[in-house]
C-alpha cells in the first residue's frame, strides 16, 4: 500500500498539468500586449500524440505538453519570451511547494533554460514567476498565439521547445532521475526578418538534453518517435495583418 501511495504521489508530482477533459481546438492566446513592435502570429496544429492519455489503474490522465517560445536576435542572443505554459512559467506544479526559490521540472525545457543562462537571466520560480504577459494555461488542442516582437530586433530566430511527460520508449527509458520525462524536449525554429511579411514553417532543429542541467542541442532523431507527433505543424506569420492586406490587393 505504501508503494502504491508513493507512486500515485509521484505521478501527480511529475505529471504537472495533467488534464482529463476532451481535446478542444481553436483557443487564441494573446501575449506581450503592451510591447511596441511588429505583430506575429503562431498557429500550432496538434498531431496524433498531443494530449496523450496515460492510465494508472482505473484512473486516466490526459498529459498536455509544456511549451516555451522565445526570440533570439541575429547574434543568437536571447531577447524576449513569446509564450511559456503557465505550469512552468509560474512553477505551479501539483504537489510541489517545497522551496519557493527553486525551479522544478527543468527537464521540460533544458535548451531554453540554457539560453536564459547565457544572458544571465534567472529561471522562473514560485516566488519569482514569469509575468502574466507571456504565460497562459496549457492549450487543450490546436491553438494560435498572437504576440509582438520588439521592433529593435529586426532580424533573428523564433524558437519553440516542447515536451510531454510519460512518453518513454525503448531508447528513452523510464528510469533514473528523469524517468517521468520519457522522450526529451524537441526544439523547432525559423529565421525571420521583421521587414518581410510572410509565413514561415518552424522546422526541427534537434532535441534537448535528458536532464535540466544539459543545455546542449542534439541534432539527431535517435529514439524520437511519438514526441514528433505532438504537433503536426507550427506556422509563423510575421505582421499577419499587413500580409493579409497585401494578398487581398493581389486578388
Amino acid at each position: 500500500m505504501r508503494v502504491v501511495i508513493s507512486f500515485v504521489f509521484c505521478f501527480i508530482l511529475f505529471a504537472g498539468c495533467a488534464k482529463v477533459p476532451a481535446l478542444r481546438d481553436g483557443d487564441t492566446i494573446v501575449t506581450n500586449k503592451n510591447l511596441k513592435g511588429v505583430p506575429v502570429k503562431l498557429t500550432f496544429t496538434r498531431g496524433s500524440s498531443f494530449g496523450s492519455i496515460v492510465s494508472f489503474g482505473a484512473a486516466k490522465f490526459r498529459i498536455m505538453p509544456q511549451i516555451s517560445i522565445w526570440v533570439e536576435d541575429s547574434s543568437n542572443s536571447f531577447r524576449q519570451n513569446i509564450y511559456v505554459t503557465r505550469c512552468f512559467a509560474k512553477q505551479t506544479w501539483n504537489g510541489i511547494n517545497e522551496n519557493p526559490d527553486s525551479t522544478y521540472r527543468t527537464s521540460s525545457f533544458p535548451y531554453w533554460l540554457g539560453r536564459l543562462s547565457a544572458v544571465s537571466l534567472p529561471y522562473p520560480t514560485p516566488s519569482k514567476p514569469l509575468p502574466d504577459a507571456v504565460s497562459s494555461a496549457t492549450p487543450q488542442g490546436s491553438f494560435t498565439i498572437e504576440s509582438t516582437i520588439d521592433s529593435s530586433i529586426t532580424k533573428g530566430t523564433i524558437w519553440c521547445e516542447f515536451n510531454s511527460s510519460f512518453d518513454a520508449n525503448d531508447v528513452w527509458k523510464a528510469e533514473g532521475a528523469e524517468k517521468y520525462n520519457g522522450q526529451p524536449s524537441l526544439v523547432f525554429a525559423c529565421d525571420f526578418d521583421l521587414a518581410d511579411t510572410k509565413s514561415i514553417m518552424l522546422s526541427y532543429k534537434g532535441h534537448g538534453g535528458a536532464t535540466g542541467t544539459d543545455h546542449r542541442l542534439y541534432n539527431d532523431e535517435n529514439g524520437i518517435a511519438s514526441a514528433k507527433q505532438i504537433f503536426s505543424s507550427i506556422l509563423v506569420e510575421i505582421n499577419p495583418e499587413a500580409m493579409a492586406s497585401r494578398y487581398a490587393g493581389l486578388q
Side-chain angles (χ1 to χ4, degrees):
M1 179 62 72
R2 186 174 300 174
V3 173
V4 172
I5 292 174
S6 176
F7 185 86
V8 171
F9 173 77
C10 288
F11 186 97
I12 294 173
L13 175 69
F14 285 90
C17 289
K19 301 289 184 181
V20 178
L23 296 176
R24 181 190 69 244
D25 296 329
D27 285 351
T28 297
I29 299 169
V30 180
T31 66
N32 292 315
K33 295 179 182 179
N34 298 321
L35 183 66
K36 294 182 179 180
V38 176
V40 61
K41 179 179 179 180
L42 298 96
T43 301
F44 287 72
T45 302
R46 63 180 169 91
S48 57
S49 295
F50 182 93
S52 57
I53 296 176
V54 175
S55 298
F56 177 69
K60 293 184 178 181
F61 298 84
R62 189 181 292 281
I63 308 299
M64 297 299 179
Q66 295 301 305
I67 306 162
S68 62
I69 308 166
W70 70 98
V71 175
E72 296 183 10
D73 60 24
S74 56
S75 299
N76 302 317
S77 181
F78 176 93
R79 291 292 300 274
Q80 70 170 91
N81 286 310
I82 293 291
Y83 170 73
V84 182
T85 38
R86 182 172 293 159
C87 281
F88 200 97
K90 304 297 185 182
Q91 287 292 296
T92 53
W93 304 108
N94 294 331
I96 300 180
N97 57 10
E98 291 92 342
N99 189 338
D101 297 318
S102 293
T103 304
Y104 298 94
R105 297 290 311 279
T106 54
S107 57
S108 297
F109 303 131
Y111 186 67
W112 171 63
L113 293 176
R115 305 310 293 157
L116 294 180
S117 295
V119 291
S120 301
L121 287 175
Y123 298 171
T125 66
S127 63
K128 296 181 180 179
L130 291 181
D132 292 341
V134 296
S135 66
S136 176
T138 305
Q140 304 298 299
S142 299
F143 66 100
T144 297
I145 293 177
E146 296 178 355
S147 192
T148 304
I149 296 178
D150 190 315
S151 57
S152 67
I153 300 175
T154 65
K155 296 180 181 180
T157 305
I158 296 174
W159 292 88
C160 176
E161 184 172 18
F162 56 87
N163 197 355
S164 186
S165 302
F166 295 93
D167 60 355
N169 57 28
D170 291 340
V171 176
W172 300 93
K173 300 181 183 295
E175 59 187 14
E178 306 294 336
K179 65 181 180 180
Y180 299 96
N181 200 45
Q183 295 167 67
S185 64
L186 301 192
V187 180
F188 282 65
C190 71
D191 293 334
F192 70 88
D193 183 338
L194 292 185
D196 191 3
T197 56
K198 66 178 182 179
S199 299
I200 320 165
M201 282 288 187
L202 267 68
S203 59
Y204 178 72
K205 300 302 179 182
H207 65 81
T211 70
T213 58
D214 181 354
H215 301 310
R216 290 175 292 177
L217 183 63
Y218 295 84
N219 304 114
D220 66 80
E221 298 184 40
N222 183 35
I224 307 298
S226 61
K228 286 206 74 174
Q229 306 305 317
I230 293 175
F231 293 109
S232 61
S233 66
I234 306 173
L235 176 68
V236 172
E237 297 172 70
I238 303 296
N239 205 347
E241 291 185 3
M243 185 169 60
S245 297
R246 185 181 67 182
Y247 290 159
L250 296 176
Q251 295 178 351

